[in-house]
Amino acid sequence: MQLSSTEWKIMHALWQRSPATAREILGAVDEETHWAYTTVRTLLARLVEKGAVAEHKQANTSIYEPILAREDARKDAVQSLLDRVFDGTAGSLVQHLIRERKLSKKDRAALARMLEEDSAR
């Protein structure tokens, strides 16, 4: 499932404080986004339609909970990036990160350990 950058902001807020009302989500993202309440409601409705979020009524208030797990969303986003930009190969992405110096020494050491462990299997 592909999420837009605005939908990611809503999902991050929900993953941190679920269940939540639209007003609670607005409070969580307002400082960064300055969105109107109606914008948050529209984004939540879109996420409900996509099947990423569940909506439950409590009296006259809608309560929202994520259905889409954070890890599943990350997997989909990374796979989409790999397919669109790196010909579907993780190696191309890692090579790019190394060439562009986007990996710290700690990250490089962790990657080397993971590759070593994987090749030992």
Side-chain angles (χ1 to χ4, degrees):
M1 172 179 314
Q2 293 300 307
L3 298 175
S4 69
S5 59
T6 54
E7 291 169 341
W8 272 100
K9 289 182 188 338
I10 298 293
M11 292 303 295
H12 282 300
L14 269 175
W15 287 321
Q16 291 175 353
R17 60 187 52 75
S18 172
T21 65
R23 290 224 181 270
E24 291 169 334
I25 294 166
L26 175 61
V29 300
D30 185 52
E31 191 173 310
E32 178 187 355
T33 64
H34 304 292
W35 288 337
Y37 174 75
T38 54
T39 302
V40 172
R41 290 289 306 227
T42 299
L43 289 167
L44 285 164
R46 189 182 308 161
L47 288 164
V48 168
E49 190 173 302
K50 282 185 170 185
V53 171
E55 177 183 13
H56 310 284
K57 292 285 187 184
Q58 192 173 55
N60 290 333
T61 304
S62 290
I63 308 293
Y64 299 93
E65 294 184 71
I67 296 172
L68 179 62
R70 185 188 307 249
E71 193 56 36
D72 291 337
R74 284 179 178 163
K75 285 178 188 176
D76 289 347
V78 169
Q79 188 60 56
S80 176
L81 175 68
L82 289 176
D83 292 343
R84 286 181 294 113
V85 181
F86 295 100
D87 299 323
T89 63
S92 296
L93 171 61
V94 173
Q95 290 170 13
H96 171 78
L97 293 172
I98 291 170
R99 274 196 309 273
E100 296 298 316
R101 301 195 186 279
K102 300 292 184 189
L103 296 176
S104 67
K105 286 182 181 182
K106 182 179 175 182
D107 291 337
R108 289 172 192 247
L111 180 59
R113 276 193 309 279
M114 289 187 329
L115 289 170
E116 194 173 303
E117 289 170 6
D118 187 59
S119 66
R121 288 186 210 175

